[in-house]
Amino acid sequence: MSLLRQPTRHAELISRRIPPSLLRTHSSGFQSQSRIPSSFQLPSSHNCRYFSCSQSHFKIIATQLSRRASRPTHYNAHETQAIRHCSYRRNMCRHADNDGGSATTTLDHGLLPTNVVPRHYDLTLEPHFETLKFDGSVKIDLDVAEDSRTITLHELEIEIKHASLTLRAPHGQETIWNEPEITHDEEKQSATFAFRDVIPKNSKAVLDIKYVGELNDKMAGFYRSYYSNPDGSKGVIATTQMEATDARRAFPCFDEPGLKAEFTVTLVADKDLTCLSNMAVRDEKLLESGKKAVRFNKTPLMSTYLVAFIVGKLNYIESNAFRVPIRVYAPPSEDIEHGRYALDIAAKGLEFYEKAFGIPYPLPKLDQVAMPDFAAGAMENWGLVTYRTVEVLFNDKTSGAAVKERVSSVILHELAHQWFGNLVTMSGWSGLWLKCGWAEFGARYSLNALYPEWKLKESFVSEDLQSALALDGLRSSHPIEVPVSRPEDINQIFDSISYAKGSCVVHMLSDFLGEEVFMDGVRKYLQRHMYRNASTNDLWLALSEASGKDVASIMDIWTRNVGYPVVSVTEDGSNVRLEQHRFLATGDVKPEEDEVLYPIFLKLRTEGGINNDLTLTTRERDIKIEHPDFFKINANCSGFYRTKYSSDRLQKLGKAAELLTVQDRVGLVADACALATSGYQKTSDSLTLFRALSDAGETEFLVWDQILSRLGSIRMAWIEHDAIVDTLLNFQREITSPQAHQMGWQFLPEDGHVQQQFKALMFSAAGMSGDKLVVAAAQDMFKKFMFEGDKSAIHPNIRGSVFAINLKNGGEKEYNAILSFYETAETSDQRNSALRTLGQTRDDRLIQRTLDLLLSGKIRDQDVYLPIGGLRATKAGIRALARWMQTSWDTIYTKFPAQSSMISSIVSYCTNGLSQEKQLEEIEQFFKDKSLKGFDRSLKQATDSVKAKIQWQARDTDDLRRWLGMV
């Protein structure tokens, strides 16, 4: 699933692209002993709690592997069922405790009893668009693992009408038990079927359930989505979103990733409607009712969260450029021809992944469906990938380079899941990163091979790495592998830790092992566990076999602990002392939070090249540098940590920009500002670095993107200080206007993909900081576009920026024009540009109009985050958002309940822009007596961010004012 993340760009610079998801068999024999470079000193057990257990665990897994080495890896429905441990063992979970160590705790994961095992679901559904209900029937083939009187499975918001059990005993007799006693557990979202007699162990049974459900408006389970017909009426589509725990809304099931089964789906619908599911159609029959019954082929073994089915009016286009047919579907309200690019990139992506992973795409078709209402960015349902319309349909005449990159990243992210997640699935949701982090990495890895000129290898440092470091720098972050006990907890870990930090860990490991060896291990992992479930240790084991290194002993520290280190650099001539401590954005690390020592790859860059052998595994270490005039730690920023230099060294690095790669310079900018946030350095050091890079003639888009993003974060921390904000905007204009004027804002055919984004960036930064020439140009474009009918007057690359500049410098006339454009726009990208911009108004009345839109039904529920994001750009907008959230809370929490994946984002958006102690106290008081179910983690992260800004201001306001010449 592709995540919709909060924009990481500075607030007043219109987001031109959402980071790719909230987003991108040869093997050696197993080595019984690890081969680690002699310079790599592993931590001892007294300073790393995980080392001792990871070594022993590594040996245990090795023994298990040797016992099953001869097991076939081809698909077999009976041999590949995941092993299920008894309930008490499954509830014991190793997890990080408050000080970053580990603890063994009994947790209620809501896991089902293990007395029966599902093997096959025969599922029939008939949606009724008139009543917005659906009839369902499911027959579940079960293996009985122990003598039982009850069967418990998941169900949520469905009404069971009838149930029966057909028992096939080992001796061949068949017994039918009707009308068992059914009890429901609302908290655990389960139903228990109790029978009078014992269901004997080793028998086989079929549980037959008939039920009725609602085509809900929650964008979860089997739900309804609307599109507009030419006559103004609404068309309805019945569609699905099962991840993480919403298959139980569509049919009673064993809704856990580890309980893979086969599925045979039948859809009953009007003859003129399109019916889709994971597999190709097996047959279609006309019923006496006049409807049709479309039956699909049986799926391979798969988890419930990947089951998908759609009924509605859909158009499609098809490509045969790949080995199996690829189609793009969209409702009649969309131009299906805008799916051509998705067909092309999908064909290239599947071909690339087949070669990279050494395993053919296993299904007979791939459908990609544009859905009008969709809570996430996209969902990787096996063979039937669903998307927000804007994430799959692309029109190069109305959308710019950034949108093309976003669409490409999302599609290739979902296609990577066809192997990582679908073919090999994590054993439980605590291993979410195994699919999401890898798909994020996979999208970037594949796109870098397909379009190297896009420089996605370099943009990893400015996007995935910074997104992960930002969230993981909060005390309220969580480890990559984190225990989750409730469905609403699971939804909250679909965040930058599971996605971006997971991707960073994969990236760091690939860099350490070497890409070729790393991919050998990946292929081994996939081939060994295909159609099965796997754990992080299974991945480490495969990579250890391929590399001959004890990967678990190194990487467990990164995946099982919250946070990361900052490496402080102290110089004394040619002697350099390095010291690691935990980094917190609030700068108030407690001793008990600073016990973990990370194995850090130093990757020292000097004029002579990169030393890949240096590591830091202890608290501190001294190294000698022969020519200390120039050096940099963490070359290319492949390591997951920040580096603190002295002010003098930082200035030297700024002036030596020509000796640094793009990744180095991006990381230097990001680290400097993050360290200012936490008090390790002064904010003036960051601004001095920005000026040094500007004066040195910095010409790289990604570096400027990071400079402006970090300058925006400084401005947002002081958003309540009008004079400081104005002076920072003057500084932004001073360093960006020359570049904007030189590059211009005409987009030429010869402009490359990155150059187009660079021009758009500088135009926006100069215009939003008040450059008169750019503002005048934007106003002229806006006038021609909105009032004179010249739709070519604004290039798609800068449409959002032109709208924002005009709204910032205009009023109601401009606001009405943008709102009207939203209501009549032809594509989702155009509509999103308008919605995102509405919040940029500085007029209190217009701010209130924007707030009034959010719950009015005039914008789709999935899109409420867009105007909210725009409102976070100004002091007035931030204050208004907090008030709106409090006064509208009952309505918000009803529309986006705890089970919704959107409630945590809304709470975060409405609170983390605040920056004053009084505001923080007000928010904490507001939520004091309210249920935090579904957003407790997000709220804590948001308030941690506010605390960091408050402390940053307390430390550096005088320093900032001095540097800006205000004192």
Side-chain angles (χ1 to χ4, degrees), residues 27 46 105 378 432 521 540 656:
S27 66
H46 74 273
T105 305
L432 175 66
W540 295 162

Side-chain angles (χ1 to χ4, degrees), residues 49 97-101 582 589-596:
R49 300 183 180 189
D97 58 19
N98 290 334
D99 65 2
R582 182 179 174 185
V589 181
K590 301 171 185 176
E592 63 269 23
E593 296 173 318
D594 192 26
E595 293 183 354
V596 177

Side-chain angles (χ1 to χ4, degrees), residues 569-577 622-625 628 631 649:
V569 181
T570 306
E571 302 178 47
D572 183 9
S574 61
N575 186 68
V576 175
R577 169 156 291 191
D622 291 340
I623 59 175
K624 293 283 186 182
I625 298 180
F631 71 90
R649 174 56 58 184

